């Protein structure tokens, strides 16, 4: 570890245990350096530092692995005195084994200040400290190699492969499990070492994966080991490539495995914001098995099937898919009216719409959304009447994402029974309830925001909310005020 040798450090009272500990405390005057004895063989620096954290800043550490001892330097003598006084009455434990604490004869630790690993551990562990930290809570947090990750404002799809690329910059990622909870994409990610988890949390918490969206919220998990049963799009154990894919889950595509191995350059260097353009392409490639943007095979066109052909119109598809991107063209197929092609602005928007709308109910039927092999949606030739089945929306004023950095980028959520309403010209609860009931649903709850220009309205099912959004987004409320409707992550 490139530390100065300290031959004079000896194990005082190793044979006599706590008796000699008491004697030793009386002998040595208070010092900000604490001598810790009887450490378990497998104890980590992180766990030793955690003993001092509740009492103040820890400024240095020296572990003597062969002797099961360590020296901890506190920021102030007062902190050290508080710590020794506390542990005189409450025996500290590491890994369920009692350890012994006393003042050291040394007034400071003279170790090599350039020891980067020690400094990284100190910095990482200090980051989880709060003034009210209980010793056991701090110890639990700092000794976990597992992070809990929540992604806010998920405008572009974030996949298991994208997380692996980002987090592997900080150490070996062993396992990842992804899931959706409270309408939010979340993941549990296990490093091989707790120190890597701390460094990743320090660098990445609060960062955006892409410009203005996909914000990482990172905490330590109480779990210390993840149990992964399947290797597929939702979970991965990188230490066990032989695991099955599981029922109904696609097995790992070899192109994606190769892609994730050879993609260090795709996500920008940490720290600092991640490179949004290449990252978005990476997300689309990892999630959709499409080639990187600009290469053959990437497409912003979706094929939607199992539509209710009696009810569906290009306008209804434009409105629903427009929640997840700017729809350019819609074509309901002439010979197969339960299917349609929808051209989005780019492949990332297509991917986002597919991930949120595939399997949802529209006009009573579960729709299927896949990426199309078409690069564009063709308009009918001049003079040819296709019965209004093809519409061009390239110049529509209703696109939600035209303005770069628009707030709409931060408010994209999966379909939910609760809708967010804005641009309300008159604050009348009854009128709005009636309007949404007439769309063919049951209004379960309604709540105005403080300014009464916005509100939440909860329908009885997600299908009813989808229907209400299709019917009432851009509804003219009079005085040229058009209602804006989107899905909400909140409930009332």
């Amino acid at each position: 570890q490139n530390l100065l040798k300290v031959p004079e450090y000896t194990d005082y009272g190793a044979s006599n245990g706590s008796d000699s500990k008491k004697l030793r405390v009386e002998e040595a005057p208070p010092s900000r350096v604490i001598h810790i004895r009887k450490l378990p063989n497998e104890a980590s620096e992180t766990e030793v530092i955690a003993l001092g954290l509740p009492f103040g800043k820890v400024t240095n550490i020296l572990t003597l692995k062969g002797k099961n001892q360590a020296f901890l330097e506190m920021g102030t003598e007062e902190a050290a005195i508080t710590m020794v006084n506390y542990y005189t009455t409450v025996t500290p434990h590491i890994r369920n084994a009692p350890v012994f604490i006393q003042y050291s004869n040394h007034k400071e630790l003279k170790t090599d200040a350039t020891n980067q690993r020690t400094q990284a551990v100190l910095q990482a562990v200090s980051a989880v400290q709060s003034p009210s930290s209980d010793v056991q809570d701090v110890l639990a947090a700092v000794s976990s190699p597992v992070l809990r990750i929540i992604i806010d404002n998920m405008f572009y799809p974030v996949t298991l492969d994208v997380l692996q690329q980002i987090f592997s910059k900080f150490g070996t990622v062993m396992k990842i499990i992804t899931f959706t909870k409270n309408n939010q994409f979340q993941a549990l990610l296990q490093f091989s070492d707790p120190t890597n988890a701390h460094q990743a949390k320090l660098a990445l918490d609060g960062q955006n994966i892409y410009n203005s969206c996909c914000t990482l919220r990172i905490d330590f998990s109480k779990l210390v080991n993840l149990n992964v049963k399947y290797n597929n799009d939702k979970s991965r154990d990188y230490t066990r490539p032989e695991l099955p894919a599981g029922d109904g889950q696609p097995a790992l595509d070899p192109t994606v495995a190769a892609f994730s191995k050879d993609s260090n350059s795709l996500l920008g260097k940490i720290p600092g914001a991640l490179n949004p353009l290449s990252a978005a392409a990476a997300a689309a490639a990892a999630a959709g098995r499409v080639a990187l943007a600009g290469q053959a095979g990437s497409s912003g066109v979706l094929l939607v099937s199992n539509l209710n052909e009696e009810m569906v119109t290009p306008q209804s598809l434009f409105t629903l898919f427009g929640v997840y991107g700017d729809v350019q063209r819609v074509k309901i197929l002439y010979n197969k009216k339960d299917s349609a092609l929808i051209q989005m602005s780019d492949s990332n928007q297509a991917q986002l719409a597919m991930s949120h709308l595939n399997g949802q109910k529209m006009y009573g039927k579960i729709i299927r959304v896949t990426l199309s092999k078409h690069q564009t949606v063709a308009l009918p030739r001049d003079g040819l009447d296709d019965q209004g089945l093809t519409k061009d929306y390239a110049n529509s004023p209703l696109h939600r994402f035209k303005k770069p950095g628009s707030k709409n980028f931060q408010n994209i959520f999966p379909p939910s029974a609760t809708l967010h309403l804005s641009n309300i010209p008159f604050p009348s609860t009854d009128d709005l309830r009636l309007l949404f009931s007439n769309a063919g649903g049951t209004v379960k709850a309604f709540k105005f925001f403080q300014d009464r220009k916005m509100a939440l309205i909860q329908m009885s099912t997600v299908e009813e909310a989808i229907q209400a959004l299709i019917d009432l987004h851009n509804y003219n409320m009079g005085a040229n005020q058009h209602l804006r409707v989107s899905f909400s992550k909140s409930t009332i």
Side-chain angles (χ1 to χ4, degrees):
Q1 287 202 18
N2 194 27
L3 295 170
L4 297 181
K5 287 191 174 157
V6 214
E8 66 272 30
Y9 290 155
T10 52
D11 185 357
Y12 297 99
S15 55
N16 300 335
S18 57
D19 291 341
S20 67
K21 176 190 70 165
K22 286 176 185 153
L23 182 69
R24 173 76 179 142
V25 170
E26 288 159 11
E27 281 178 6
S31 158
R32 64 191 186 102
V33 179
I34 308 285
H35 182 201
I36 302 164
R37 300 178 291 111
K38 297 268 181 93
L39 287 168
N41 287 331
E42 65 278 15
S44 67
E45 287 175 326
T46 301
E47 291 167 300
V48 175
I49 293 168
L51 292 176
L53 272 186
F55 306 98
K57 189 172 169 61
V58 177
T59 50
N60 210 342
I61 180 173
L62 172 64
T63 49
L64 306 176
K65 287 284 188 195
K67 295 188 172 176
N68 299 82
Q69 298 181 37
F71 292 85
L72 203 61
E73 182 185 276
M74 302 300 289
T76 64
E77 198 170 284
E78 290 73 23
I81 292 169
T82 310
M83 178 178 169
V84 170
N85 288 346
Y86 177 80
Y87 287 134
T88 304
T89 55
V90 181
T91 303
H93 286 71
I94 288 182
R95 305 203 175 214
N96 297 323
V99 296
F100 300 103
I101 287 186
Q102 60 205 41
Y103 298 117
S104 164
N105 279 327
H106 299 271
K107 293 299 178 192
E108 62 179 327
L109 277 186
K110 291 189 172 69
T111 60
D112 185 346
T114 60
N115 183 352
Q116 288 181 320
R117 187 175 179 282
T118 300
Q119 290 311 311
V121 172
L122 281 167
Q123 189 188 10
V125 177
S126 302
V128 301
Q129 179 185 17
S130 70
S132 59
S133 297
D134 175 75
V135 181
Q136 292 308 319
D137 289 348
V138 173
L139 199 52
V142 299
S143 54
S144 173
V146 180
L147 296 175
R148 185 173 65 100
I149 302 156
I150 296 175
I151 301 199
D152 284 342
N153 307 328
M154 195 160 119
F155 178 60
Y156 290 117
V158 174
T159 65
L160 188 145
D161 293 290
V162 168
L163 290 175
Q164 194 269 342
Q165 290 164 46
I166 294 169
F167 282 83
S168 61
K169 293 182 188 303
F170 298 92
T172 305
V173 174
M174 296 178 74
K175 303 172 187 179
I176 305 177
I177 296 171
T178 63
F179 54 96
T180 301
K181 186 177 177 184
N182 302 333
N183 261 355
Q184 279 189 308
F185 179 85
Q186 301 193 19
L188 291 167
L189 183 145
Q190 181 176 338
F191 278 102
S192 56
D193 185 279
T195 310
N196 303 139
H198 302 314
Q199 290 168 335
K201 180 182 184 300
L202 275 178
L204 294 175
D205 189 26
Q207 291 271 7
N208 293 333
I209 299 178
Y210 312 133
N211 270 352
S212 326
C213 65
C214 299
T215 308
L216 292 162
R217 303 274 173 236
I218 304 172
D219 276 311
F220 293 104
S221 169
K222 289 194 168 64
L223 299 169
V224 289
N225 186 39
L226 298 179
N227 181 21
V228 175
K229 292 177 181 165
Y230 303 115
N231 280 341
N232 54 37
D233 285 354
K234 302 277 191 299
S235 62
R236 194 80 51 85
D237 185 336
Y238 295 97
T239 65
R240 300 180 63 202
E242 76 283 357
L243 285 177
D247 297 338
Q249 279 285 348
L252 281 185
D253 185 322
T255 58
V256 171
F259 166 86
S260 57
K261 272 194 200 114
D262 187 33
S263 53
N264 287 341
S265 61
L266 280 171
L267 292 158
K269 297 282 178 273
I270 308 296
L274 307 172
N275 178 346
L277 291 175
S278 54
R289 313 292 194 256
V290 297
L292 293 182
Q295 297 174 6
S298 69
S299 158
V301 180
L302 295 167
L303 172 64
V304 187
S305 55
N306 203 41
L307 292 163
N308 181 333
E309 58 186 272
E310 305 297 321
M311 305 286 290
V312 74
T313 63
Q315 185 63 38
S316 62
L317 291 169
F318 167 78
T319 303
L320 179 57
F321 281 75
V323 171
Y324 299 106
D326 292 338
V327 176
Q328 303 298 305
R329 292 177 182 176
V330 178
K331 179 190 282 288
I332 293 174
L333 303 186
Y334 188 79
N335 294 325
K336 199 173 187 309
K337 292 190 174 64
D338 70 344
S339 300
L341 292 171
I342 299 175
Q343 183 178 331
M344 309 296 286
S345 283
D346 60 42
S347 59
N348 300 309
Q349 292 185 3
Q351 179 68 51
L352 189 71
M354 179 174 82
S355 64
H356 283 316
L357 293 175
N358 181 40
Q360 296 291 348
K361 259 190 172 180
M362 180 183 183
Y363 296 122
K365 297 189 79 174
I366 293 173
I367 64 171
R368 293 281 160 244
V369 186
T370 57
L371 291 170
S372 165
K373 61 180 187 295
H374 293 278
Q375 296 298 307
T376 57
V377 170
L379 293 173
R381 287 195 294 278
D382 285 348
L384 199 68
D385 176 24
D386 78 341
Q387 302 171 2
L389 295 177
T390 307
K391 292 278 186 214
D392 186 357
Y393 294 102
N395 299 314
S396 169
L398 298 182
H399 286 156
R400 294 179 190 242
F401 307 105
K402 266 191 312 209
K403 274 197 229 144
S406 154
K407 268 199 179 145
N408 293 336
F409 282 94
Q410 295 170 29
N411 292 302
I412 294 173
F413 303 107
S416 61
T418 307
L419 296 167
H420 179 274
L421 315 181
S422 59
N423 210 30
I424 301 169
F426 51 84
S428 163
T429 305
D430 291 344
D431 289 348
L432 285 164
R433 275 179 172 270
L434 186 62
L435 185 65
F436 278 77
S437 299
N438 288 344
T442 306
V443 175
K444 302 277 281 188
F446 182 90
K447 182 175 125 192
F448 268 116
F449 284 56
Q450 258 183 324
D451 63 358
R452 299 180 82 80
K453 294 269 193 297
M454 293 192 285
L456 293 176
I457 192 163
Q458 191 171 330
M459 310 303 287
S460 60
T461 64
V462 174
E463 185 186 0
E464 284 183 9
I466 288 174
Q467 188 58 56
L469 183 141
I470 289 170
D471 291 349
L472 297 172
H473 177 62
N474 200 44
Y475 181 84
N476 190 347
M477 305 285 286
N480 207 24
Q481 290 267 64
H482 291 261
L483 187 66
R484 295 184 64 80
V485 185
S486 47
F487 296 115
S488 171
K489 70 171 177 182
S490 309
T491 51
I492 304 171

